[in-house]
Structures are given as structure tokens and as C-alpha cells.
Amino acid sequence: MHDTPPEPSEQTRSVLYGAARDVVQARQVSGGVHFHSAQSAGPTPRLLPPGVPDFVNRTDDLQHLTAALAATTDARTPSAIVVIAGTAGVGKTSLALHWAHQVRDQFPHGQLYANLRGYDPGQPARPHDILERFLRALGVPHDDIPADTDTRTDLYRSLLAERRVLIVLDNAATVTDLRPLLPGTGECLTLITSRSRLSALVARDGARRLTLDVLADPDAVTLLQITTDGYRRGDDPQELTELARLCARLPLALRIAAERASRYPQHTLSDLIQDLRDESGLWELLATGDDDETSRVRSVFAWSYQALPADAAGLFRLLGLHPGADFCTNAAAALAAQSPNRTRSILDVLVGAHLIEQQARDRYQFHDLLRAYAADQVQHDEPAESRTRALLRVISWYLHSADNAIAASDYGRRRFELEALPDGVTAASFTTHEDALTWYEAERSNLVAATRAAHTAGLHQHAWQLPALLHHIYNFRHPFHEWFTTTEIGLASARAINDRRAEALLLHSLGKAYTQANRHHEGLEHLRQAIALHEHTANPADEAETLCGAGLACLRLRRLEEALELLHRALTIARQLRDRHQEAFATHLIGWALLELDQPAQALQHSQTAAETMRQLGNRASEIDVLVKQCDILRQLGRLDEARTVAQQTLTVASDTDDPVITAAAYIELGRIHQDLHEPEEALAAYQRATVLQRRLGNRGREATALDATGLAYHQLGRYAEAAEFHLHAATMQRELADPWLQAIALTHLGDALHAAGRTPEATESWNDAHHLLRPFDDPAARKLRNHLSAAMTTS
């Protein structure tokens, strides 16, 4: 499945239908059509990580933050923003989290936290992904989260407008990355940490800035004493001061130094200081223009790293090769070629040494400075061959784990062989569709990063196979940014090794991505390139699958005879191969084409055959894809009770398989059935749910179809002005999407609604526009629509 608007002639009304959280309201055309998802109170997010236990002083800085609370009491003003700026390792995050935990009770609707990773050696976090996490925390179901960033931001700000929430945005590098995450108005407070002064935020948005300095000597010494308390006694205060200064009085370095001093209580502090002085001297010789504070921090890192047990030091530097920003125990185990239990013990050592941070029970991350240091150390201390093997192990772990996830899901099957896992690596395994999806959601960003890292390292087979596998999930869940990004990388790798079959598979995936994103011409072009390659590489199973993809693109372009030719070719190949799944899919699409050619009885036979085969194969996801179109066929045959039963069954299975794409499509079909049963209010409720889902999926073409259908329900209710608004909005969207067929349908409906409202000149203009758009089409549905337009213009 996967013009200036006219002024209304009367005051329109707004009514609410459907579930409370799935509401579409019609407003004046000049203001557009607005969508609201009125969420219930939902859960209270508590996303703050733990604060540091040994926080010292910063009294003035804490008071400065507390003063900012006064700006959050007036909901009519922009939400308050405070920027904590300062050098790396100065304790910005510690201060922000310490204060946030102190005042969290003053934000009864919760606290949100995100690390933007603006200074991380890898890719920074995207606002798009952070918004998804925030919306989930605010109670928005996965299916209801919009696909595009702007709409996510709109929903996020709507949800925060009536709430008092504390938002902590850590490690922000640019104002651009922050803007989508800022509330609009309300009683929220946004706390931002950054090495930058973020002057534009201060000047334009009225943010307050708190510039954090290094700790004063007494406070730095106090931090050392608190951290070593219970492990060391009788250290000379002057030596503690010297140690603090060698750490540049930066809290990150002080904690690492204190941990090492605690670990070796038998060593005098003077000995430890001499070691650190020696390390500092080495870094000064190797300095490449870093500021003094950064050099001293790196000295402390090196000092602590060199004191680690060999296995912990080895894992620490190997983690510098990990492609993503965070990691689980099993990924770390793959890097180190260790068992997960042994790796977990070593990770505990690194957490205890403050060299990595534990986010959750099985998720870890670096401070960005430490990640950069680990990446340096692995280049210096690990032989090139060892680095290559370690990177191969972890990327293979992601590849084989993704393969296992897809095998356990309802989403597809692999058509190519994978290299065996390297020795010492065990991929993640899954028993259910739900387990597989949970893993995929946790590792989404790492899978993109692993694809990029594989390409960069010349592991081109892994770089093309990862997106070729992920295609099966992407095809159902539509994360378009990830789909395009990984597949383009994989395509480059396939071409780098001149693997024409891999190139064809990835061109097929890109073609499907473009088609699902309603860029049908681009989709068909990529699919045709893939077909040509398949013909040369003699892979008939791949060719059949791609022929079906091209047939689907032609269906959506209403090139119906061309679609049938492609689909019959696919069907012939599938039968020769005895590939029942592909045979069923081709049969389903042929039925769709026959329906568009006004042969519903034959279409139903094909649909029922395809659905039965999918059912026998146990492929629920493909079966419900077939059943959605079967609803349309049964409805057009007048078998409305059967159609309604199938639609309701489809919605149940789509819910069980967490498939929002099918859910949205099924609601449209259910709405049409209700209309044919003269139940316009029930139809409107179904259309509204479909519209909200399609908008959140980011599929503007299908959203426009749902809007147009909503207009038909208003028309059936006798509310012609509101019907016209929805039809106009749908027609405008279809024009922007360059879909003349669906634009013509929406303009026809607009003309009908305007005529019923007594606005005949405007109706005639819409009908004429629709008639002009229909010129290239000569199928039965197009002829029927032209006849309707001719009759309407003749009698008006």
C-alpha cells in the first residue's frame, strides 16, 4: 500500500468525531484545514539521568538557575530558556542534572532529557529522532508519531502548551539543532548545555546565559576529598591542590583522577602526581594547538587509561571503533571477541573508572571527549590488523542480528547469502515479531552508523547487505530518511565492488522507497534500472520481485496496461520458480489492476487466491495488505457486509502486527463502506483516523486521499461548505505532489460540493480544471469520471 482558495459563503461549523485523540476539524479555507490530536493526560515523562553523587559548591550557579524559574509562571510568554555554556569537562551536564533533580517537583508534568551529541566524534543526534523519543514519553503511540520533523515539532509544542515540563538539552552545538526541540509558549523551562555561547538564542529568543568556569581551588580539592573518602586518609592538602591544578580543576578530570587515587591507596599522592606530571609533559610535547584545559584533560585520560587492567584498557580503546554513539553489552562483546558475561564485568570496571557512562541496564555511552580519546588510542595502541578484525566483528554482529530480527518478524525474507559470523561473535536472536521490533527500534541509529562505517572501511559487502536486509522493515514502517540514507550508501558500496546483483537489489529498494514516498516517476526509473540489471545477472527471483515493484509504481501512475504486462511477467517467473509468496503478490497486484479496469469479479478471484496463499504461508503482513484491497473490491461489487467484516478483521491484524500503514489504509476502506451503507457519521470517524495516521506517517499523497474522502462524508451529511474545504485542501496537496489523477478526482468532488452549496460558477471552474487534467487518461474509471463532469456542466 503500502490556487487562492475561495471565500466561504457562510460561517462554517467545527465538530468533533471519532476518538478523542484522533480529531480532524474543518476551519475556514483561508486558514487551511487544521488537525489536532487531543491527547489525554497520558504518562508523566521522567527522562532525567541520575545526577552525580559528589556534586560540590556551585552555589551561585544554582541560584542563577533557580532565578530562571520565575520566567515560567506566565503561560502567555515564550517558554524560558537557560544556556549553560563552558569548556569541555567543566561540569555543565552535572550542574544541569543536579539542579534539575532539585526542582523536578516544580514541574508536575514531567522532565525530558536528550543528549544532542553536538561535539561527539560521530554523527550528532538528529532533532527528528529526539522528537520521536519525546513524543513517545509524552504518551503518543508509535503509530501516531508524524514522519516529518515539522509536524513532529507541531505536535510536540501542542502537547507542551498546556503542561509544565522541564526540558534538558545536553551538548548542543548549534541553534539550528535546538529550534525544533524548543517549546512555543507555556510554563516550560528549557535548560541547554553547550560549549558554544549560542548567541543567536540569547539575542532572538531571550535565553539567559550562565557561563560556567572551572572550580575554584577549594572546591576542586573538596571534590577530590569527597570522591576518595573511605579509600584514602592523610593526603597533604597542598598535594591535593597540586593534583587539582594538574586536572585543570575540571570536574570530569577530577573524578577520573580521584577514582585512580582511590584504586591505589597504597601509593602516595606525590607518586601519583609525579606520574600525572610526566603524562602532562608528554601531552604538551604532542599538543597540536589544543587549549591548555583540553590538553590537561587528555593527560588525565591517559593517566587513568594506562592504569587499567589489560582487558579493560583493550575494551576501552576498541570501543573507540564502535560506529554509533551508544552500545549494548553484546555489541561490545563482539568488538572484543569476549563472552557477554565477561564483557559485562569489564564494562563495570570502565564505568567505575568514569571512562564510560551506563545509561540503562544494558546501554552504555561515552562522554564525547572520552570517545574521541578512545578513538585516538585505538589508532595508536591497536595494530591495524586487530582494528580491522574488531570492526568486522561488530559490523557482522549488526548484520547477522538484523537478519535474525527480520527472520523473526512478519516482514520478509533474505534472498542472498551472508558470510559466516567471525569467531567469537554471537548475533542477537529473537523469538517473536515484537522482540525483533524492540531490538530494531533500540538499534536504528546504530544500524545506519554501521552501514556508513562499513562503507568507509571498505567492508563493501556488509555495507550493501545491511540496507538490503533493512529494506524489509523499511518497506512496512517507512522511516524514509533512514531508508534513503542506508540504501544510497549500500548502492555506492555495491558499485565499488562491481556487484551487479547487489546494485540491482538496492536500486529495487530505492525504487520502492520513492514509490512509497509518492515519488512514483523516480521510483519507476530506479525499478527499471534494477530490472535491466536482473536480466543480465540471471536472478529470476529478484527479477520477479522487482517487476512487481515496477507494476505497483505503474498502478499508482495509472499506467494500467503497462502494469498488467509487468505483473504477468512477474507471475510467469514466480510460477516457474514455484515461489508461492511472489506468485501470490503478483496475483494480488493483477487483481488491483483488473479492478481499475472495471473488472471487479475477476479482481475478486485474484484477491481471494492471493489472500489464501499468504494465509497458508503464515505471512500475516502480506495477507492484510491483500485484504485491504479486497475490501474495495467487495464494496464495488455491492457485497457491503462482507467488505465490512474483512475491513474489521484487517484492522485487528494490523493492530496485532503494529502496522500503521495498513491501519490507515483500512480505515479509508471502512469509511467508504460506511458511506455506501448511508452511515456518514461512522464514515467520517473512520476517515478522520486515517487522515491523522497518514499525516503522522508523512505520506502526503494518502493523507490527501483521506482528506478528500472526509469531504465526501461531510457532503453526505449535507454540510457542503465544509466538504468543499476538505476537497480543496486535498486537490491542492495532489497538485503539489504532481498527481493529476487524484487531483482531478478531488477537483470533481470540490465542484460537486460547491454546486450543492449554490456556488455554481466556482463549481464549473473546478469541473473544467478536472476535465483538463483527465485528458491523458483513457481507462474505464477516467471515462466514467469524464461522463460525470460533462453531465454536471451540462445541467448546472
Side-chain angles (χ1 to χ4, degrees):
M1 301 244 64
H2 286 112
D3 304 308
T4 302
E7 291 294 327
S9 60
E10 58 180 295
Q11 179 66 42
T12 62
R13 294 174 292 164
S14 294
V15 295
L16 310 184
Y17 286 92
R21 65 181 178 86
D22 292 336
V23 177
V24 178
Q25 291 180 287
R27 301 292 177 94
Q28 291 187 350
V29 176
S30 57
V33 180
H34 301 274
F35 298 85
H36 305 276
S37 181
Q39 302 288 334
S40 61
T44 300
R46 307 288 188 192
L47 302 189
L48 291 179
V52 294
D54 48 6
F55 190 85
V56 299
N57 203 299
R58 299 287 194 192
T59 305
D60 291 343
D61 299 318
L62 292 168
Q63 288 176 350
H64 183 103
L65 294 174
T66 300
L69 278 174
T72 66
T73 58
D74 188 349
R76 297 169 299 176
T77 63
S79 60
I81 302 170
V82 179
V83 176
I84 303 176
T87 191
V90 78
K92 301 181 295 294
T93 300
S94 296
L95 175 66
L97 292 178
H98 182 78
W99 181 81
H101 281 286
Q102 283 186 335
V103 301
R104 62 186 178 186
D105 290 344
Q106 298 188 49
F107 294 90
H109 300 121
Q111 305 89 41
L112 299 171
Y113 170 87
N115 185 348
L116 276 65
R117 307 187 189 282
Y119 304 96
D120 194 273
Q123 295 290 313
R126 294 192 305 144
H128 182 85
D129 298 327
I130 293 171
L131 284 166
E132 177 175 344
R133 181 165 165 262
F134 282 2
L135 289 171
R136 287 193 186 188
L138 290 165
V140 180
H142 174 271
D143 294 357
D144 292 352
I145 294 175
D148 65 286
T149 303
D150 288 345
T151 311
R152 286 185 178 187
T153 298
D154 291 344
L155 178 57
Y156 169 68
R157 288 174 177 162
S158 297
L159 292 172
L160 292 182
E162 303 300 326
R163 303 187 190 193
R164 183 172 172 81
V165 175
L166 174 63
I167 303 112
V168 180
L169 303 176
D170 205 6
N171 293 312
T174 69
V175 174
T176 302
D177 290 338
L178 287 167
R179 292 235 179 265
L181 305 173
L182 299 177
T185 59
E187 299 180 65
C188 295
L189 173 63
T190 305
L191 193 55
I192 300 164
T193 72
S194 179
R195 296 182 201 173
S196 167
R197 292 171 59 81
L198 300 178
S199 298
L201 204 63
V202 175
R204 175 178 163 181
D205 299 86
R208 299 185 180 202
R209 183 194 294 123
L210 168 61
T211 302
L212 207 58
D213 201 354
V214 298
L215 292 173
D217 277 342
D219 293 334
V221 169
T222 300
L223 178 55
L224 288 171
Q225 290 172 328
I226 291 173
T227 308
T228 60
D229 186 42
Y231 299 93
R232 301 182 64 89
R233 293 179 181 173
D235 286 330
D236 188 322
Q238 289 185 342
E239 291 183 336
L240 286 169
T241 300
E242 176 64 15
L243 179 58
R245 288 176 178 173
L246 284 169
C247 294
R249 291 176 285 146
L250 292 167
L252 175 63
L254 288 165
R255 288 191 178 91
I256 292 172
E259 191 284 329
R260 178 170 175 185
S262 299
R263 199 171 354 136
Y264 299 103
Q266 71 276 18
H267 293 178
T268 66
L269 199 57
S270 60
D271 289 339
L272 295 172
I273 289 171
Q274 187 58 48
D275 288 346
L276 184 50
R277 280 201 190 103
D278 293 343
E279 193 64 52
S280 297
L282 176 62
W283 278 106
E284 286 171 9
L285 290 173
L286 298 175
T288 56
D290 286 345
D291 58 69
D292 182 62
E293 289 166 344
T294 300
S295 294
R296 292 193 185 184
V297 169
R298 292 174 69 86
S299 299
V300 175
F301 293 170
W303 184 61
S304 181
Y305 163 69
Q306 290 172 8
L308 289 170
D311 54 0
L315 179 58
F316 173 81
R317 61 179 177 263
L318 287 175
L319 287 170
L321 295 172
H322 186 267
D326 66 348
F327 52 90
C328 66
T329 301
N330 287 342
L335 267 170
Q338 297 269 11
S339 71
N341 287 339
R342 177 62 184 149
T343 302
R344 190 174 293 109
S345 298
I346 301 172
L347 289 171
D348 288 342
V349 172
L350 296 177
V351 171
H354 298 283
L355 293 175
I356 62 171
E357 304 164 9
Q358 186 165 9
Q359 297 173 282
R361 189 182 66 84
D362 192 39
R363 303 300 295 186
Y364 302 86
Q365 67 177 4
F366 279 111
H367 186 285
D368 50 18
L369 286 178
L370 281 159
R371 186 179 181 198
Y373 178 75
D376 281 346
Q377 292 314 114
V378 77
Q379 296 298 321
H380 290 112
D381 294 354
E382 200 73 30
E385 185 179 348
S386 176
R387 295 197 303 269
T388 300
R389 289 198 304 267
L391 187 61
L392 174 63
R393 286 194 298 268
V394 74
I395 290 175
S396 296
W397 183 84
Y398 279 111
L399 176 67
H400 282 263
S401 297
D403 183 46
N404 289 344
I406 290 159
S409 76
D410 297 325
Y411 287 154
R413 50 192 176 150
R414 169 167 50 86
R415 288 188 180 276
F416 49 86
E417 293 300 318
L418 302 181
E419 288 184 2
L421 274 166
D423 292 341
V425 179
T426 302
S429 60
F430 314 95
T431 56
T432 67
H433 175 86
E434 292 72 23
D435 289 343
L437 283 187
T438 298
W439 179 86
Y440 161 73
E441 290 294 338
E443 301 292 353
R444 279 171 59 176
S445 62
N446 283 332
L447 290 164
V448 176
T451 304
R452 184 179 288 110
H455 175 77
T456 301
L459 298 172
H460 293 302
Q461 183 161 321
H462 293 74
W464 77 254
Q465 287 183 337
L466 259 170
L469 285 173
L470 293 170
H471 160 79
H472 297 290
I473 293 179
Y474 294 160
N475 189 41
F476 284 87
R477 299 184 75 81
H478 295 181
F480 288 116
H481 177 84
E482 294 165 29
W483 195 348
F484 285 119
T485 298
T486 57
T487 310
E488 291 284 5
I489 293 170
L491 184 59
S493 275
R495 288 170 173 165
I497 56 176
N498 197 29
D499 189 328
R500 301 184 75 184
R501 186 194 177 198
E503 183 180 356
L505 289 172
L506 292 162
L507 283 168
H508 171 213
S509 182
L510 272 180
K512 290 292 292 292
Y514 281 117
T515 301
Q516 299 289 22
N518 295 302
R519 296 162 63 177
H520 305 308
H521 290 284
E522 292 169 275
L524 185 58
E525 174 59 27
H526 283 81
L527 289 160
R528 287 197 178 283
Q529 291 176 38
I531 291 168
L533 282 170
H534 285 316
E535 289 172 346
H536 284 91
T537 56
N539 284 285
D542 297 342
E543 183 181 358
E545 187 174 5
T546 308
L547 284 165
C548 282
L552 177 60
C554 286
L555 276 173
R556 290 182 171 163
L557 289 166
R558 292 201 72 75
R559 292 155 62 165
L560 302 179
E561 296 297 340
E562 186 177 353
L564 275 177
E565 187 270 331
L566 290 165
L567 294 169
H568 278 298
R569 282 172 58 189
L571 182 61
T572 298
I573 294 171
R575 284 175 173 167
Q576 289 171 349
L577 296 172
R578 297 185 179 180
D579 185 336
R580 296 184 69 209
H581 171 86
Q582 201 58 52
E583 180 181 350
F585 188 54
T587 301
H588 156 58
L589 293 179
I590 290 169
W592 183 347
L594 290 171
L595 180 66
E596 297 298 330
L597 290 166
D598 200 24
Q599 300 175 44
Q602 289 179 264
L604 181 60
Q605 291 176 0
H606 283 75
S607 178
Q608 290 174 331
T609 298
E612 179 58 30
T613 300
M614 293 299 188
R615 191 175 301 118
Q616 291 172 3
L617 294 173
N619 192 323
R620 293 186 300 168
S622 295
E623 180 190 351
I624 60 173
D625 199 14
V626 174
L627 292 177
V628 168
K629 181 54 64 177
Q630 193 173 115
C631 293
D632 192 18
I633 299 171
L634 289 166
R635 182 183 62 81
Q636 293 195 40
L637 286 167
R639 295 161 63 171
L640 300 180
D641 288 338
E642 291 177 69
R644 177 158 54 184
T645 298
V646 172
Q648 290 168 341
Q649 290 172 345
T650 302
L651 283 169
T652 298
V653 178
S655 176
D656 291 342
T657 56
D658 188 24
D659 194 328
V661 176
I662 292 294
T663 300
Y667 270 127
I668 291 179
E669 296 304 330
L670 185 61
R672 288 172 174 159
I673 294 162
H674 282 306
Q675 278 202 263
D676 285 4
L677 289 167
H678 303 287
E679 299 167 351
E681 293 185 351
E682 288 82 353
L684 187 56
Y687 291 147
Q688 288 170 343
R689 290 184 174 92
T691 304
V692 170
L693 275 173
Q694 296 291 14
R695 168 160 289 191
R696 291 169 181 170
L697 286 165
N699 195 316
R700 298 188 71 234
R702 295 180 196 172
E703 179 190 346
T705 297
L707 284 169
D708 191 49
T710 303
L712 292 174
Y714 275 114
H715 192 130
Q716 198 170 40
L717 285 164
R719 297 171 59 177
Y720 307 122
E722 286 164 296
E725 293 179 19
F726 280 90
H727 295 314
L728 175 62
H729 198 61
T732 301
M733 290 176 69
Q734 298 293 8
R735 182 187 62 194
E736 292 168 352
L737 294 167
D739 193 323
W741 170 253
L742 292 177
Q743 185 186 352
I745 290 175
L747 285 170
T748 301
H749 294 156
L750 174 61
D752 295 346
L754 291 169
H755 178 65
R759 296 157 63 178
T760 302
E762 295 167 77
T764 301
E765 183 179 354
S766 291
W767 288 331
N768 276 323
D769 289 344
H771 202 280
H772 176 76
L773 288 167
L774 287 172
R775 287 177 183 173
F777 301 101
D778 192 33
D779 56 80
R783 291 192 290 272
K784 183 177 179 180
L785 196 57
R786 269 196 291 269
N787 290 337
H788 170 84
L789 290 167
S790 298
M793 289 186 284
T794 300
T795 58
S796 61

